[in-house]
Amino acid sequence: MRFEASSMNSSTRRNRRRKKASVQGLYDLCKVVFAECGPGIVPSQEDVSRLSSYLEKLRPEELGLSPSMPYFRHKDSDSSPPPVNYLHIYQCPKFSIGIFCLPKSAVIPLHNHPGMTVFSKILFGSMHIKSYDWVPSSQPSDESSTFMNGEKRLAKVHVDAVFNAPCPNSILYPETGGNIHCFTAITACAVLDVLGPPYSNEEGRDCTYYDAYPFSSFSGGMSVPSEDGEYAWLRGRTQIPSSFKLDVSEYEGPAITER
């Protein structure tokens, strides 16, 4: 009996600890973590760790999310990628919270996060992520000014791998950590995103999409900056890729109380 009671108490304590993770708790923590932050200003390492640890605890059901929802089904038979659905949870000038819902084979094209610190958690499913950081010493070449009417710049691959939930959170910083990335859904999957600060056209933080080209395509005989990674040329697009369809839907999970 003592063993059973001890096991029950231990299980109860674990459940209580886990239930502390909620969308309300995430909002409350983000208010603290991003309070003194802004474009290009990263939270302290302690706050980054606190927020990342909190996200680790969150489960799809605590966000009112299930793989059986229609966002994760796609019946069209054409060969184009299925649309992605974004569930908008919350946004203020300091941060935003939302969930990207990707059916199998859906793609979020290569894009950036100017001046932002981004926390991404794969809630369920399997996803391929490829991300880049700019090479600091690289500058657009003369050729790039005329190439496809846009500039190109050298970037280094930060991540090129498949991630299966549950897995560690991804943290992107304004200049490092894979600030430019793309997602491809291997299976239906959901990604919780926290951005600090959020995108803002008025403040010059618009989202830019990119095309990627092998380093050899435009190296002009120049050598790779170092042998410890893969490099590519990225060119900003003037328009969102036509194959990318993003629908914004109302979030119907647990509500947030602003305070």
Side-chain angles (χ1 to χ4, degrees), residues 33-56:
V33 168
F34 293 107
E36 303 300 324
C37 297
I41 302 175
V42 178
S44 69
Q45 187 55 54
E46 179 183 359
D47 281 342
V48 168
S49 297
R50 287 173 63 199
L51 183 50
S52 181
S53 296
Y54 196 90
L55 287 169
E56 293 284 357

Side-chain angles (χ1 to χ4, degrees), residues 115-134:
M116 303 177 191
T117 303
V118 181
F119 296 77
S120 295
K121 174 184 173 65
I122 301 177
L123 294 163
F124 59 78
S126 178
M127 170 179 287
H128 178 265
I129 300 176
K130 190 163 188 177
S131 65
Y132 301 83
D133 286 319
W134 296 121

Side-chain angles (χ1 to χ4, degrees), residues 24 55 60 62 65 75 92 96 104 108 119 122 128 133-136 146 162 173 223 226 236 239-241 251 255 257:
Q24 181 67 50
L55 287 169
E62 292 163 335
L65 206 64
K75 298 179 181 179
C92 68
S96 66
K104 180 181 178 181
I108 299 179
F119 296 77
I122 301 177
H128 178 265
D133 286 319
W134 296 121
V135 174
T146 57
V162 172
Y173 298 97
S223 59
S226 67
Q239 295 181 333
I240 298 174
Y251 172 67
T257 300

Side-chain angles (χ1 to χ4, degrees), residues 118-166:
V118 181
F119 296 77
S120 295
K121 174 184 173 65
I122 301 177
L123 294 163
F124 59 78
S126 178
M127 170 179 287
H128 178 265
I129 300 176
K130 190 163 188 177
S131 65
Y132 301 83
D133 286 319
W134 296 121
V135 174
S137 60
S138 70
Q139 296 294 333
S141 66
D142 292 338
E143 178 189 12
S144 68
S145 62
T146 57
F147 174 66
M148 297 289 286
N149 296 318
E151 293 185 341
K152 68 179 185 296
R153 186 176 171 186
L154 189 62
K156 183 178 180 180
V157 174
H158 179 75
V159 166
D160 185 3
V162 172
F163 294 84
N164 303 297

Side-chain angles (χ1 to χ4, degrees), residues 57-226:
K57 301 175 185 177
L58 279 170
R59 302 291 183 267
E61 58 270 21
E62 292 163 335
L63 297 165
L65 206 64
S66 166
S68 63
M69 287 178 163
Y71 310 123
F72 305 102
R73 298 194 295 268
H74 182 59
K75 298 179 181 179
D76 292 350
S77 58
D78 60 49
S79 58
S80 61
V84 174
N85 215 288
Y86 180 71
L87 306 182
H88 173 71
I89 298 177
Y90 180 81
Q91 181 168 320
C92 68
K94 290 290 186 179
F95 64 90
S96 66
I97 304 172
I99 300 171
F100 288 96
C101 304
L102 292 83
K104 180 181 178 181
S105 301
V107 176
I108 299 179
L110 193 62
H111 63 283
N112 70 343
H113 305 82
M116 303 177 191
T117 303
V118 181
F119 296 77
S120 295
K121 174 184 173 65
I122 301 177
L123 294 163
F124 59 78
S126 178
M127 170 179 287
H128 178 265
I129 300 176
K130 190 163 188 177
S131 65
Y132 301 83
D133 286 319
W134 296 121
V135 174
S137 60
S138 70
Q139 296 294 333
S141 66
D142 292 338
E143 178 189 12
S144 68
S145 62
T146 57
F147 174 66
M148 297 289 286
N149 296 318
E151 293 185 341
K152 68 179 185 296
R153 186 176 171 186
L154 189 62
K156 183 178 180 180
V157 174
H158 179 75
V159 166
D160 185 3
V162 172
F163 294 84
N164 303 297
C167 58
N169 303 320
S170 170
I171 305 174
L172 318 182
Y173 298 97
E175 302 294 336
T176 61
N179 186 278
I180 306 165
H181 67 193
C182 59
F183 293 160
T184 302
I186 307 301
T187 68
C189 52
V191 181
L192 174 64
D193 257 11
V194 177
L195 279 62
Y199 289 107
S200 171
N201 293 345
E202 295 78 11
E203 297 180 11
R205 293 192 306 280
D206 196 6
C207 182
T208 299
Y209 293 87
Y210 295 88
D211 290 320
Y213 301 89
F215 174 77
S216 59
S217 298
F218 306 101
S219 61
M222 67 180 289
S223 59
V224 175
S226 67

